[in-house]
Amino acid sequence: MKTRILQAGRLLPSLEARLAAAFDTVLLAEQPDPQAYLAEYGAGFEGFVTSAGVGFTAATLDRLPRLRVISSFGVGLDKLDLAAARARGIAVGYTPDVLNDCVADLAMALLLDIGRRVSEADRFVRRGAWTTPGAKSFPLARKVSGAKLGIVGFGRIGQTIARRAAGFGMDIRYHTRRPVAGAPWLHEPALVELARWCDYLVVITAGGAGTRHLVNAEVLEALGPRGFVVNVARGSVIDEAALVQALVERRIGGAGLDVFEDEPNVPRALFDLDNVVLVPHIASGTEETRQAMADRVFDNLQGFLRDGRMISPAPM
Ligand code: NAP
Ligand code: 8YV
């Protein structure tokens, strides 16, 4: 008999097909009343597949009394109640590293876009402003190569961003709670000082309670009207109300945002600002990387069920 696996939400079709071929899978999100379904059938499942965006709660685990393993699509752990899983002895896997390149690429794309005004220039051409007789020419942008880059969070992805930025000749410093041993870049223990120093501040810390509103009004004030912020971490890491206010009042230079406090809701006030680039949480969203994440989700689950080993167990 195949092992029963509960799938929280929709996944890549290729992953769903692979899971369905190897296991007896049920899609929780498709049940008319997921809570009632869990109450009635939860005891049948040994594995649970979720994602960084959906996660799991202690209450869900309570309804899965025979659960042994959880495999999550994504590297973020902020929506995964790891303490509840640990208390039950449930193994949890996630997908670090395979997405470093694409998240770092998108951070650079946003940085280049806001610095060089690429999206704004695109809108300028499309609305015919370039060919309008007597119209103002497109305003000058800011130089990226050789500029000062502050990176907030310097783990797998933060360091991947630094290596890309080094190729642009950027002067790089970073902020974390602990300096990274052997890193060839300067550690700045005070985030507000990093913001004061840099031209571009890229946020790529972990999410969750420990980093909530780390980038606050004081940090944005220090960044100043010629400073730009890029967020590819979690919306919660920046005080979004303070960010919107700083942008509307032009107290910071601009922002490139992949993540928001209440996704998919983006503050309307940002829609009219030319110095802001908004994308819908797509940093890992390439065919290649999402497939690699899907493969890791499957391999973590299958590895655990086969011999109790995962390629990438979450830090518990
Ligand atoms: P990681 O290797 O665990 O790095 C996390 C970094 O955050 C570490 O350098 C850590 O340093 C720092 N950090 C944690 N708490 C901090 C605090 N209070 N103050 C300052 N720095 C702090 O994780 P990763 O693989 O690079 O991923 C980072 C995050 O990116 C994920 O957790 C996820 O939320 C986000 N992400 C977003 C997307 C997207 O689609 N936009 C995709 C992938 C990942 P210290 O512990 O020394 O402070
Ligand atoms: C995921 C992410 O695409 O890995 C993460 O933490 O934020 C993204 O890569 C997304 O969260 C999947 O649910």
Side-chain angles (χ1 to χ4, degrees):
M1 215 168 67
K2 285 179 175 174
T3 308
R4 296 210 85 195
I5 301 293
L6 186 65
Q7 186 185 319
R10 299 257 38 154
L11 298 162
L12 279 196
S14 61
L15 175 56
E16 290 193 351
R18 229 179 141 192
L19 288 168
F23 307 107
D24 177 7
T25 56
V26 171
L27 179 55
L28 184 61
E30 225 170 42
Q31 304 308 315
D33 182 345
Q35 288 313 314
Y37 181 87
L38 276 176
E40 192 167 351
Y41 301 106
F45 295 97
E46 289 181 64
F48 186 48
V49 178
T50 186
S51 64
V54 173
F56 61 83
T57 62
T60 300
L61 298 193
D62 285 346
R63 304 208 145 169
L64 298 165
R66 291 181 55 233
L67 197 67
R68 298 195 288 134
V69 55
I70 298 169
S71 186
S72 181
F73 182 93
V75 70
L77 299 171
D78 46 303
K79 290 194 173 164
L80 279 60
D81 191 337
L82 293 179
R86 186 174 51 232
R88 283 266 310 277
I90 299 167
V92 181
Y94 71 145
T95 68
D97 292 315
V98 295
L99 40 57
N100 293 352
D101 281 340
C102 281
V103 180
D105 290 352
L106 190 88
M108 291 307 293
L110 289 172
L111 190 159
L112 285 159
D113 194 333
I114 52 170
R116 295 300 309 271
R117 311 177 87 138
V118 179
S119 293
E120 186 185 347
D122 176 88
R123 290 191 290 272
F124 180 88
V125 172
R126 285 171 200 257
R127 70 171 174 265
W130 201 13
T131 51
T132 305
K136 276 199 215 156
S137 54
F138 189 72
L140 296 180
R142 293 284 302 286
K143 188 169 176 179
V144 170
S145 291
K148 293 177 191 157
L149 171 65
I151 305 180
V152 190
F154 211 60
R156 292 168 291 243
I157 302 171
Q159 292 174 51
T160 309
I161 294 169
R163 287 192 288 275
R164 279 155 177 64
F168 284 80
M170 296 186 90
D171 185 0
I172 300 163
R173 297 183 187 179
Y174 70 95
H175 168 77
T176 50
R177 291 167 299 180
R178 292 167 292 270
V180 175
W185 295 287
L186 200 86
H187 178 251
E188 171 54 72
L191 175 53
V192 75
E193 293 310 324
L194 185 71
R196 210 183 309 285
W197 169 81
C198 71
D199 302 302
Y200 297 90
L201 190 72
V202 174
V203 183
I204 185 62
T205 62
T211 53
R212 188 171 182 277
H213 292 186
L214 189 65
V215 176
N216 56 19
E218 188 193 0
V219 172
L220 295 170
E221 207 58 46
L223 188 59
R226 287 178 64 76
F228 299 94
V229 67
V230 168
N231 190 5
V232 285
R234 286 290 181 263
S236 58
V237 185
I238 302 187
D239 179 342
E240 196 169 87
L243 175 66
V244 170
Q245 208 180 340
L247 285 164
V248 168
E249 294 169 7
R250 304 276 162 172
R251 286 187 285 101
I252 65 167
L257 306 173
D258 181 47
V259 287
F260 303 88
E261 284 208 67
D262 180 30
E263 295 176 9
N265 300 306
V266 175
R268 293 272 140 182
L270 299 180
F271 286 22
D272 297 330
L273 302 180
D274 260 335
N275 56 342
V276 179
V277 177
L278 307 167
V279 295
H281 202 144
I282 56 166
S284 68
T286 63
E287 292 176 16
E288 295 84 349
T289 286
R290 288 284 168 86
Q291 189 55 54
M293 293 163 70
D295 291 345
R296 182 63 61 87
V297 166
F298 186 87
D299 292 345
N300 277 338
L301 181 68
Q302 192 190 45
F304 180 85
L305 291 170
R306 191 183 48 220
D307 55 21
R309 280 193 223 157
M310 290 190 186
I311 299 174
S312 40
M316 301 283 278

